[in-house]
Amino acid sequence: LETQLRCASWRPTRAPGWSASATRASSPTANTLRGLVMMSSTDGWAVGDQGTILHWDGQAWLVVGSPTDMTLWAVAGRTTDDVWAVGDAGTVVHWDGREWVKITSPIPSDHLPSDHHLHAVAVLSPGDVWVGGLGVLAHWNGVTWSIDPSVPPVLALVIHDIRSISMVSSTIGWAVGNVALRQGCHFCSGYDLFAYGLQWNGNTWQTILDTGWNPSGSPQTGPPPLRGVLTLSDTEAWAVGDFSVAHWDG
């Protein structure tokens, strides 16, 4: 995985062609928004703090009733009646075309919900959904959840956190995030986080990038955390993270 530092070359700018759809003054919510998905120019969703859910109808962003007050980190969907969002404490909610409803969490009931925040979701169909977060990567088959063993559980000394999932098909996809050392109930500060990446081949998630903390808890050097990924094919994917842009060429 080729990683390039881009810290000096990227700067915030008011680029031609971009306009503010909802500013601080006109936004229907005062809460921070953290995830966005657009199905078309007249159908989009944004989610954020305190379970906030907004819908775009082509004219305006409107607040929609939410079944949770937990922070929602990510939202994804493929059709107007099949949209998913995930968040803190293993929260999963689903839009069926009429309302948002809370879905049974993939986090086992004997685990502490506070240790299993979900940060990523990818939807291929109503029976093919992936979610990921702190120490968990899980798949929904339309009926039940199954926990994938590729990501070590959150009870381990070294914590793996899935921050983004991008699926092209049922056989091609990437999940990226970070790895850190658990310290009591807290995690190390930002400079102690390193990149983490897995590739889906249709049968298993293969760990392609896992540098940082070794099993003894000693830090190693490695690329910085990855926060977002876009999969184009089995031989091309792009990821972004702390001060970096990464490219996969197969």
Side-chain angles (χ1 to χ4, degrees):
L1 194 66
E2 175 189 356
T3 305
Q4 301 173 344
L5 296 180
R6 300 298 190 193
C7 181
S9 59
W10 286 92
R11 292 181 175 84
T13 181
R14 188 179 295 278
W18 286 91
S19 61
S21 174
T23 63
R24 181 183 294 271
S26 65
S27 174
T29 180
N31 293 328
T32 297
L33 298 173
R34 302 183 181 277
L36 173 72
V37 65
M38 301 296 296
M39 259 68 72
S40 70
S41 60
T42 60
D43 188 14
W45 295 93
V47 300
D49 290 3
Q50 298 180 25
T52 299
I53 301 177
L54 305 182
H55 181 250
W56 174 255
D57 62 5
Q59 299 295 324
W61 287 99
L62 303 173
V63 176
V64 177
S66 174
T68 181
D69 59 0
M70 292 291 179
T71 291
L72 297 173
W73 288 93
V75 58
R78 288 294 179 97
T79 62
T80 58
D81 60 355
D82 186 32
V83 186
W84 297 68
V86 298
D88 285 354
T91 299
V92 181
V93 295
H94 178 253
W95 171 258
D96 61 9
R98 296 174 299 175
E99 63 178 344
W100 284 92
V101 296
K102 198 168 184 179
I103 300 297
T104 301
S105 175
I107 307 305
S109 58
D110 59 342
H111 288 224
L112 290 175
S114 60
D115 277 343
H116 290 82
H117 300 319
L118 296 175
H119 295 133
V121 57
V123 180
L124 288 169
S125 72
D128 195 355
V129 179
W130 287 95
V131 301
L134 281 172
V136 63
L137 185 58
H139 181 258
W140 173 260
N141 65 4
V143 180
T144 61
W145 290 103
S146 58
I147 302 294
D148 193 278
S150 303
V151 178
V154 77
L155 298 178
L157 174 65
V158 180
I159 303 302
H160 297 72
D161 185 8
I162 302 297
R163 304 294 301 197
S164 181
I165 306 172
S166 176
M167 306 295 295
V168 171
S169 69
S170 60
T171 60
I172 301 172
W174 275 88
V176 303
N178 58 64
V179 56
L181 179 67
R182 186 182 180 89
Q183 294 182 333
C185 295
H186 302 283
F187 300 102
C188 297
S189 54
Y191 58 80
D192 290 323
L193 301 176
F194 297 96
Y196 181 51
L198 303 99
Q199 185 180 35
W200 176 251
N201 62 15
N203 294 306
T204 60
W205 286 95
Q206 297 179 316
T207 301
I208 305 298
L209 182 63
D210 187 5
T211 56
W213 299 96
N214 63 32
S216 67
S218 300
Q220 303 176 34
T221 58
L226 296 173
R227 310 290 184 178
V229 62
L230 177 63
T231 307
L232 297 176
S233 69
D234 59 345
T235 59
E236 185 169 14
W238 290 87
V240 294
D242 293 7
F243 321 111
S244 64
V245 176
H247 179 246
W248 171 257
D249 60 7

